[in-house]
Amino acid sequence: MKLIFLGPPGAGKGTHAENLSKQYQVSHLATGDILRRHIREKTPLGIQAKDTIERGELVPDTLVNQMMFAEIQQVKGGKGFILDGFPRTIGQADALSEFLESGKMKIDAVVNFVASESVIIDRLSGRRVCPQCNRNYHIHNIPPKKEGLCDRCGVALIQRKDDQPETIRHRLEVYHKETAALVDYYKKKKWLHDVNADREVGEVLAALKLLFERLKISL
Ligand code: AP5
């Protein structure tokens, strides 16, 4: 199973990719999480990417492509992967196609998480994340069992720097300028499937499972 999760920031790509990857033991390759790991570990890539991410801009294609191809190559067991947040530009999508073809790999589907702007802003401003395991919560929609603490690790949850109102607005602009064109790009390839992501988590998950059944994607 090889999937691409596409959609604006806050649409729920990470939440559902994490759910599905745990349930079906496939790799969840989230560009944002991997970049933030590089920042925490102060790798040369992390040092280069830190300010760009905090401003809500996109990290240059060459850096992201290299990083993601290395991650895909490390996927073990042949069960597949979910790409969450990659590709995000036409340049990245072209490079990914070339990379997959050279490895005789094929994407089963591109899931486009469609969410309205008011829902996105509410979700991102209420998001809290575990700095240890990257699990996402929302202060109202998906609260942790103990306020402010990760259910899994017990560590204090944090708010991402790029989840401040000004940066959220900028990330949405960047999405429309750089990433939204991928909807048509994958529509032309007939790989694109829209999912209404404005609904609650259980409903979105059920819609995703129905879609996989319809497409005969084995998880
Ligand atoms: P990244 O971390 O990928 O951020 P993003 O795409 O902006 O996506 P988000 O993580 O904000 O949203 P999501 O759709 O995953 O939503 P989530 O599930 O968390 O990227 C960060 C930065 O890294 C970029 O700005 C850029 O600088 C850089 N970068 C990343 N990829 C790059 C690339 N390919 N090229 C260049 N640069 C790149 O949900 C959001 C909140 O809503 C959570 O609180 C969650 O609990 C809640 N929620 C989710 N679903 C529901 C639901 N159905 N009902 C209620 N609440 C929900």
Side-chain angles (χ1 to χ4, degrees):
M1 194 253 289
K2 297 179 187 69
L3 300 171
I4 293 175
F5 279 8
L6 189 68
K13 306 177 295 295
T15 300
H16 292 92
E18 158 150 327
N19 264 332
L20 292 166
S21 72
K22 292 269 158 5
Q23 216 168 332
Y24 300 104
Q25 283 100 49
V26 295
S27 299
H28 172 198
L29 304 181
T31 330
D33 290 346
I34 299 167
L35 286 164
R36 284 185 288 275
R37 190 183 74 214
H38 278 276
I39 294 175
R40 275 197 307 278
E41 292 172 0
K42 298 192 169 57
T43 66
L45 170 59
I47 291 165
Q48 255 179 296
K50 185 173 183 287
D51 289 347
T52 311
I53 292 181
E54 287 177 3
R55 285 198 307 273
E57 310 266 343
L58 293 186
V59 175
D61 285 358
T62 43
L63 295 181
V64 175
N65 291 344
Q66 234 179 336
M67 176 186 91
M68 291 308 283
F69 299 159
E71 293 285 334
I72 294 172
Q73 271 162 339
Q74 279 172 31
V75 171
K76 296 195 182 77
K79 281 207 98 181
F81 51 77
I82 301 173
L83 296 180
D84 162 13
F86 180 77
R88 244 175 164 108
T89 65
I90 299 284
Q92 291 178 16
D94 284 340
L96 176 65
S97 289
E98 232 175 82
F99 171 80
L100 293 174
E101 273 165 30
S102 71
K104 304 209 178 339
M105 287 186 267
K106 204 180 162 299
I107 292 295
D108 294 302
V110 178
V111 179
N112 182 31
F113 286 71
V114 182
S116 53
E117 201 150 312
S118 57
V119 168
I120 289 172
I121 291 168
D122 170 66
R123 283 186 188 166
L124 291 181
S125 34
R127 171 165 61 188
R128 299 293 180 270
V129 293
C130 171
Q132 198 154 300
C133 71
N134 293 321
R135 187 164 174 181
N136 276 328
Y137 297 87
H138 186 281
I139 48 173
H140 303 301
N141 305 339
I142 312 169
K145 290 191 185 99
K146 278 195 194 147
E147 198 183 329
L149 297 179
C150 178
D151 294 347
R152 202 184 280 153
C153 314
V155 304
L157 301 176
I158 56 163
Q159 184 169 30
R160 274 170 45 175
K161 283 205 176 141
D162 60 349
D163 279 346
Q164 299 302 323
E166 263 311 293
T167 320
I168 293 173
R169 267 192 291 278
H170 186 55
R171 283 162 63 203
L172 279 167
E173 281 165 17
V174 172
Y175 168 79
H176 289 296
K177 191 162 160 253
E178 304 281 353
T179 311
L182 291 179
V183 170
D184 272 347
Y185 180 97
Y186 285 121
K187 215 180 251 173
K188 281 190 191 131
K189 287 186 186 278
K190 301 198 190 320
W191 294 0
L192 192 92
H193 302 275
D194 285 346
V195 166
N196 171 2
D198 269 354
R199 299 169 289 177
E200 63 176 59
V201 171
E203 288 178 77
V204 178
L205 200 58
L208 288 169
K209 288 185 179 175
L210 268 180
L211 172 69
F212 300 151
E213 255 179 61
R214 186 162 62 76
L215 298 177
K216 298 191 173 38
I217 296 173
S218 52
L219 293 162

